Amino acid sequence: MILPVYLYGQPVLRKEAEEVPEDYAGLKELIGNMFETMYHADGVGLAAPQVGLSLRLLVIDADVMGKNFPECEGFKRIMINLDIVESSEETIALEEGCLSLPGVHEKVERASKIRIKYKDADWVEHEEEIEGFAARVVQHECEHLDGHVFIDNISAIRRQLNKSKLNNIIKGTARCSYRAKAVGK
Ligand code: CO
C-alpha cells in the first residue's frame, strides 16, 4: 500500500524518533509499504517519520544510482535502530533532494565514509562500513530519525533562496507527483 509522504512542516519530521521495539506489530507490512511508497515516488531512501511514524526505521534502495556511483549498485537495505558509530573526517559536497521537500535540491556536505550498526527485518545485527553516495543516502535518512532534514545543513542564504518553495510545500501548493500530506491540507 502506498502511504502518503509527510512533507516539510509536518511536526513528525522534527521529532527525535523512538527505537523500534522487537514486538512492534505489523513491522514487515510497514516495511513493505515503505518500499512501495518509496519506489512509487522514485526515491532511493525513506525514513519512517516521512510516513508519519516516529520510529528509527528506514528503507533504502539506491541501485538506480549505480550508473554514476558504483557503490550504490545493489545497495538495498532495511535498517532498524540505526546508529552511525564513526564518520570520516573527509567530507564531500553533492546535491541532494528529499521526498518530503519536493522540488528542492541543494548541495550538502557529508562524511565520505561511515561505519554503522543496525538491525535488519529479522532482527539480525549488522555492522557495515559504507562509502560514497551510499554513505550519503544513509546519512540523509539517519538525519530524519533525529528530527532534521537536509536543508538544515545549508547556509541561511541558500535557505532564503528556497523560501517560496518551502512556503508552497507547507501550504500544500508545491508540485508533487506522489501522495503527500502537507501541513496546510
Ligand atoms: Co529525506
Side-chain angles (χ1 to χ4, degrees):
M1 188 174 69
I2 293 169
L3 308 168
V5 175
Y6 281 58
L7 299 185
Y8 179 76
Q10 288 280 8
V12 68
L13 295 175
R14 291 307 189 185
K15 277 210 248 172
E16 175 112 13
E18 305 270 329
E19 297 253 310
V20 184
E22 258 196 74
D23 59 353
Y24 188 83
L27 182 62
K28 293 219 166 150
E29 192 188 347
L30 171 62
I31 290 167
N33 290 340
M34 284 175 67
F35 271 115
E36 199 181 337
T37 303
M38 179 186 82
Y39 290 131
H40 172 72
D42 288 327
V44 295
L46 189 70
Q50 294 182 275
V51 292
L53 296 166
S54 197
L55 289 171
R56 300 190 76 82
L57 161 67
L58 53 92
V59 297
I60 291 174
D61 189 348
D63 187 60
V64 291
M65 320 242 4
K67 251 191 193 165
N68 296 319
F69 304 98
E71 66 276 17
C72 288
E73 229 170 85
F75 190 71
K76 181 177 177 180
R77 299 284 189 280
I78 295 155
M79 294 181 176
I80 299 170
N81 299 339
L82 163 73
D83 246 330
I84 298 179
V85 289
E86 221 180 300
S87 303
S88 64
E89 273 179 36
E90 194 198 335
T91 59
I92 180 164
L94 282 174
E95 199 175 85
E96 290 183 16
C98 177
L99 295 181
S100 294
L101 289 112
V104 179
H105 298 274
E106 285 291 331
K107 262 192 177 178
V108 180
E109 192 155 347
R110 297 204 188 268
S112 49
K113 203 181 197 180
I114 53 172
R115 203 152 57 80
I116 58 170
K117 268 187 188 165
Y118 63 92
K119 303 219 168 53
D120 66 22
D122 298 313
W123 293 95
V124 176
E125 188 163 279
H126 296 261
E127 192 167 341
E128 254 189 278
E129 222 174 67
I130 304 174
E131 51 191 335
F133 209 89
R136 171 171 301 273
V137 176
V138 173
Q139 288 172 87
H140 174 118
E141 296 312 325
C142 188
E143 210 167 59
H144 280 299
L145 308 178
D146 296 324
H148 300 298
V149 291
F150 79 104
I151 53 153
D152 296 349
N153 303 305
I154 67 175
S155 68
I157 295 166
R158 295 299 314 168
R159 220 169 9 251
Q160 188 60 34
L161 288 169
N162 280 291
K163 189 112 200 172
S164 67
K165 277 186 188 172
L166 296 176
N167 284 338
N168 288 341
I169 293 170
I170 292 168
K171 278 188 289 181
T173 56
R175 225 178 125 249
C176 188
S177 61
Y178 41 88
R179 247 181 105 195
K181 210 169 162 137
V183 181
K185 272 207 171 156

Short mmCIF file of all heavy atoms in Angstrom, two decimals, residues 109-139:
data_model
loop_
_atom_site.label_atom_id
_atom_site.label_comp_id
_atom_site.label_asym_id
_atom_site.label_seq_id
_atom_site.Cartn_x
_atom_site.Cartn_y
_atom_site.Cartn_z
N GLU A 109 27.16 18.95 2.43
CA GLU A 109 28.45 18.35 2.74
C GLU A 109 28.25 17.22 3.75
O GLU A 109 27.61 17.42 4.78
CB GLU A 109 29.36 19.42 3.31
CG GLU A 109 30.78 18.96 3.40
CD GLU A 109 31.78 20.12 3.39
OE1 GLU A 109 31.37 21.26 3.06
OE2 GLU A 109 32.93 19.87 3.73
N ARG A 110 28.79 16.06 3.41
CA ARG A 110 28.64 14.92 4.32
C ARG A 110 29.93 14.10 4.37
O ARG A 110 30.74 14.17 3.44
CB ARG A 110 27.52 14.00 3.85
CG ARG A 110 26.16 14.65 3.83
CD ARG A 110 25.08 13.62 3.93
NE ARG A 110 23.75 14.18 3.72
CZ ARG A 110 22.97 14.63 4.69
NH1 ARG A 110 23.38 14.61 5.93
NH2 ARG A 110 21.76 15.11 4.40
N ALA A 111 30.08 13.32 5.42
CA ALA A 111 31.23 12.41 5.55
C ALA A 111 31.26 11.47 4.36
O ALA A 111 30.23 10.97 3.91
CB ALA A 111 31.12 11.62 6.85
N SER A 112 32.45 11.22 3.83
CA SER A 112 32.54 10.36 2.66
C SER A 112 32.52 8.88 3.02
O SER A 112 32.29 8.03 2.17
CB SER A 112 33.78 10.70 1.83
OG SER A 112 34.91 10.77 2.65
N LYS A 113 32.73 8.57 4.31
CA LYS A 113 32.75 7.17 4.74
C LYS A 113 32.16 7.10 6.16
O LYS A 113 32.48 7.95 7.00
CB LYS A 113 34.20 6.71 4.76
CG LYS A 113 34.40 5.23 4.64
CD LYS A 113 35.90 4.98 4.69
CE LYS A 113 36.32 3.64 4.19
NZ LYS A 113 37.79 3.49 4.28
N ILE A 114 31.35 6.09 6.39
CA ILE A 114 30.77 5.93 7.74
C ILE A 114 30.79 4.46 8.15
O ILE A 114 30.84 3.57 7.31
CB ILE A 114 29.31 6.44 7.81
CG1 ILE A 114 28.43 5.79 6.73
CG2 ILE A 114 29.25 7.95 7.72
CD1 ILE A 114 26.95 6.09 6.87
N ARG A 115 30.75 4.24 9.47
CA ARG A 115 30.57 2.89 9.99
C ARG A 115 29.26 2.89 10.75
O ARG A 115 29.01 3.80 11.56
CB ARG A 115 31.74 2.48 10.89
CG ARG A 115 31.89 0.98 11.01
CD ARG A 115 33.34 0.59 11.28
NE ARG A 115 33.82 1.24 12.47
CZ ARG A 115 33.55 0.81 13.72
NH1 ARG A 115 32.81 -0.26 13.91
NH2 ARG A 115 34.02 1.45 14.76
N ILE A 116 28.41 1.93 10.45
CA ILE A 116 27.08 1.92 11.05
C ILE A 116 26.75 0.57 11.68
O ILE A 116 27.35 -0.45 11.34
CB ILE A 116 25.97 2.25 10.00
CG1 ILE A 116 26.00 1.24 8.84
CG2 ILE A 116 26.13 3.66 9.49
CD1 ILE A 116 24.80 1.34 7.92
N LYS A 117 25.78 0.63 12.60
CA LYS A 117 25.23 -0.57 13.23
C LYS A 117 23.72 -0.47 13.11
O LYS A 117 23.16 0.60 13.34
CB LYS A 117 25.60 -0.60 14.72
CG LYS A 117 26.86 -1.34 15.02
CD LYS A 117 27.01 -1.44 16.53
CE LYS A 117 28.36 -2.01 16.91
NZ LYS A 117 28.66 -1.79 18.32
N TYR A 118 23.10 -1.58 12.76
CA TYR A 118 21.64 -1.58 12.66
C TYR A 118 21.14 -3.02 12.70
O TYR A 118 21.94 -3.96 12.60
CB TYR A 118 21.19 -0.90 11.36
CG TYR A 118 21.64 -1.62 10.11
CD1 TYR A 118 20.84 -2.59 9.50
CD2 TYR A 118 22.90 -1.34 9.56
CE1 TYR A 118 21.28 -3.25 8.35
CE2 TYR A 118 23.33 -2.01 8.42
CZ TYR A 118 22.52 -2.96 7.82
OH TYR A 118 22.96 -3.63 6.70
N LYS A 119 19.83 -3.16 12.81
CA LYS A 119 19.23 -4.49 12.74
C LYS A 119 18.41 -4.58 11.47
O LYS A 119 17.84 -3.57 11.02
CB LYS A 119 18.35 -4.72 13.96
CG LYS A 119 19.13 -4.55 15.26
CD LYS A 119 18.72 -5.57 16.28
CE LYS A 119 19.65 -5.63 17.47
NZ LYS A 119 19.90 -4.36 18.15
N ASP A 120 18.38 -5.78 10.89
CA ASP A 120 17.56 -5.95 9.69
C ASP A 120 16.15 -6.41 10.10
O ASP A 120 15.84 -6.51 11.28
CB ASP A 120 18.23 -6.90 8.69
CG ASP A 120 18.36 -8.32 9.20
OD1 ASP A 120 17.59 -8.71 10.12
OD2 ASP A 120 19.24 -9.05 8.69
N ALA A 121 15.32 -6.72 9.11
CA ALA A 121 13.91 -7.05 9.39
C ALA A 121 13.77 -8.33 10.22
O ALA A 121 12.72 -8.56 10.82
CB ALA A 121 13.14 -7.18 8.08
N ASP A 122 14.82 -9.16 10.26
CA ASP A 122 14.79 -10.37 11.09
C ASP A 122 15.50 -10.16 12.42
O ASP A 122 15.83 -11.11 13.12
CB ASP A 122 15.43 -11.55 10.33
CG ASP A 122 14.67 -11.86 9.05
OD1 ASP A 122 13.42 -11.94 9.12
OD2 ASP A 122 15.30 -11.98 7.98
N TRP A 123 15.81 -8.91 12.74
CA TRP A 123 16.47 -8.50 13.97
C TRP A 123 17.90 -9.05 14.09
O TRP A 123 18.43 -9.22 15.17
CB TRP A 123 15.63 -8.88 15.20
CG TRP A 123 14.38 -8.07 15.21
CD1 TRP A 123 13.16 -8.43 14.73
CD2 TRP A 123 14.23 -6.71 15.65
NE1 TRP A 123 12.26 -7.39 14.85
CE2 TRP A 123 12.90 -6.33 15.41
CE3 TRP A 123 15.11 -5.78 16.23
CZ2 TRP A 123 12.41 -5.06 15.72
CZ3 TRP A 123 14.61 -4.52 16.55
CH2 TRP A 123 13.28 -4.18 16.29
N VAL A 124 18.50 -9.31 12.94
CA VAL A 124 19.92 -9.68 12.93
C VAL A 124 20.73 -8.38 12.92
O VAL A 124 20.44 -7.47 12.15
CB VAL A 124 20.25 -10.52 11.67
CG1 VAL A 124 21.74 -10.82 11.60
CG2 VAL A 124 19.42 -11.80 11.64
N GLU A 125 21.73 -8.33 13.82
CA GLU A 125 22.54 -7.11 13.89
C GLU A 125 23.61 -7.09 12.81
O GLU A 125 24.23 -8.12 12.52
CB GLU A 125 23.19 -6.99 15.27
CG GLU A 125 23.87 -5.63 15.41
CD GLU A 125 24.19 -5.25 16.84
OE1 GLU A 125 23.28 -4.77 17.53
OE2 GLU A 125 25.34 -5.44 17.24
N HIS A 126 23.81 -5.94 12.22
CA HIS A 126 24.83 -5.76 11.19
C HIS A 126 25.73 -4.60 11.55
O HIS A 126 25.28 -3.60 12.09
CB HIS A 126 24.18 -5.44 9.83
CG HIS A 126 23.33 -6.54 9.30
ND1 HIS A 126 23.77 -7.43 8.36
CD2 HIS A 126 22.06 -6.90 9.60
CE1 HIS A 126 22.81 -8.29 8.09
NE2 HIS A 126 21.75 -7.99 8.82
N GLU A 127 27.00 -4.75 11.19
CA GLU A 127 27.92 -3.64 11.28
C GLU A 127 28.55 -3.51 9.90
O GLU A 127 29.00 -4.50 9.33
CB GLU A 127 28.99 -3.90 12.35
CG GLU A 127 29.76 -2.66 12.66
CD GLU A 127 30.61 -2.75 13.93
OE1 GLU A 127 30.35 -3.64 14.77
OE2 GLU A 127 31.53 -1.94 14.05
N GLU A 128 28.52 -2.31 9.37
CA GLU A 128 28.94 -2.14 7.98
C GLU A 128 29.74 -0.86 7.83
O GLU A 128 29.48 0.13 8.52
CB GLU A 128 27.69 -1.97 7.10
CG GLU A 128 27.33 -3.16 6.24
CD GLU A 128 26.22 -2.81 5.26
OE1 GLU A 128 25.04 -2.83 5.68
OE2 GLU A 128 26.51 -2.51 4.10
N GLU A 129 30.67 -0.89 6.88
CA GLU A 129 31.36 0.34 6.50
C GLU A 129 30.86 0.71 5.12
O GLU A 129 30.86 -0.12 4.21
CB GLU A 129 32.87 0.10 6.49
CG GLU A 129 33.61 1.26 7.11
CD GLU A 129 35.09 1.00 7.26
OE1 GLU A 129 35.77 0.91 6.21
OE2 GLU A 129 35.55 0.87 8.39
N ILE A 130 30.43 1.95 4.98
CA ILE A 130 29.81 2.36 3.72
C ILE A 130 30.48 3.64 3.24
O ILE A 130 30.81 4.52 4.04
CB ILE A 130 28.30 2.61 3.92
CG1 ILE A 130 27.66 1.35 4.49
CG2 ILE A 130 27.60 2.97 2.63
CD1 ILE A 130 26.23 1.50 4.88
N GLU A 131 30.66 3.74 1.92
CA GLU A 131 31.26 4.97 1.42
C GLU A 131 30.54 5.52 0.21
O GLU A 131 29.59 4.92 -0.29
CB GLU A 131 32.76 4.78 1.15
CG GLU A 131 33.12 3.58 0.32
CD GLU A 131 34.64 3.34 0.34
OE1 GLU A 131 35.41 4.28 0.57
OE2 GLU A 131 35.04 2.19 0.11
N GLY A 132 31.01 6.69 -0.22
CA GLY A 132 30.48 7.30 -1.43
C GLY A 132 29.02 7.71 -1.30
O GLY A 132 28.55 8.07 -0.23
N PHE A 133 28.30 7.60 -2.41
CA PHE A 133 26.92 8.08 -2.41
C PHE A 133 26.02 7.23 -1.50
O PHE A 133 25.06 7.72 -0.93
CB PHE A 133 26.35 8.16 -3.83
CG PHE A 133 25.30 9.22 -3.96
CD1 PHE A 133 25.64 10.53 -4.31
CD2 PHE A 133 23.96 8.93 -3.71
CE1 PHE A 133 24.67 11.52 -4.38
CE2 PHE A 133 22.98 9.92 -3.79
CZ PHE A 133 23.34 11.21 -4.13
N ALA A 134 26.36 5.95 -1.36
CA ALA A 134 25.59 5.09 -0.46
C ALA A 134 25.66 5.63 0.97
O ALA A 134 24.66 5.65 1.69
CB ALA A 134 26.11 3.65 -0.54
N ALA A 135 26.85 6.07 1.37
CA ALA A 135 27.03 6.65 2.70
C ALA A 135 26.21 7.93 2.84
O ALA A 135 25.67 8.24 3.90
CB ALA A 135 28.51 6.93 2.96
N ARG A 136 26.12 8.67 1.75
CA ARG A 136 25.33 9.90 1.74
C ARG A 136 23.85 9.59 1.97
O ARG A 136 23.18 10.25 2.77
CB ARG A 136 25.51 10.62 0.39
CG ARG A 136 24.59 11.81 0.17
CD ARG A 136 25.00 12.56 -1.08
NE ARG A 136 26.37 13.03 -0.94
CZ ARG A 136 26.72 14.19 -0.36
NH1 ARG A 136 25.80 15.02 0.07
NH2 ARG A 136 27.98 14.52 -0.23
N VAL A 137 23.35 8.58 1.27
CA VAL A 137 21.93 8.22 1.42
C VAL A 137 21.65 7.82 2.87
O VAL A 137 20.67 8.27 3.47
CB VAL A 137 21.55 7.07 0.45
CG1 VAL A 137 20.11 6.63 0.68
CG2 VAL A 137 21.75 7.49 -1.01
N VAL A 138 22.52 7.01 3.45
CA VAL A 138 22.32 6.58 4.83
C VAL A 138 22.34 7.78 5.78
O VAL A 138 21.49 7.91 6.67
CB VAL A 138 23.40 5.55 5.26
CG1 VAL A 138 23.28 5.22 6.75
CG2 VAL A 138 23.27 4.26 4.44
N GLN A 139 23.28 8.70 5.58
CA GLN A 139 23.35 9.87 6.46
C GLN A 139 22.12 10.76 6.31
O GLN A 139 21.60 11.29 7.29
CB GLN A 139 24.62 10.68 6.14
CG GLN A 139 25.89 9.99 6.61
CD GLN A 139 27.14 10.70 6.12
OE1 GLN A 139 27.63 11.61 6.76
NE2 GLN A 139 27.66 10.28 4.98
#
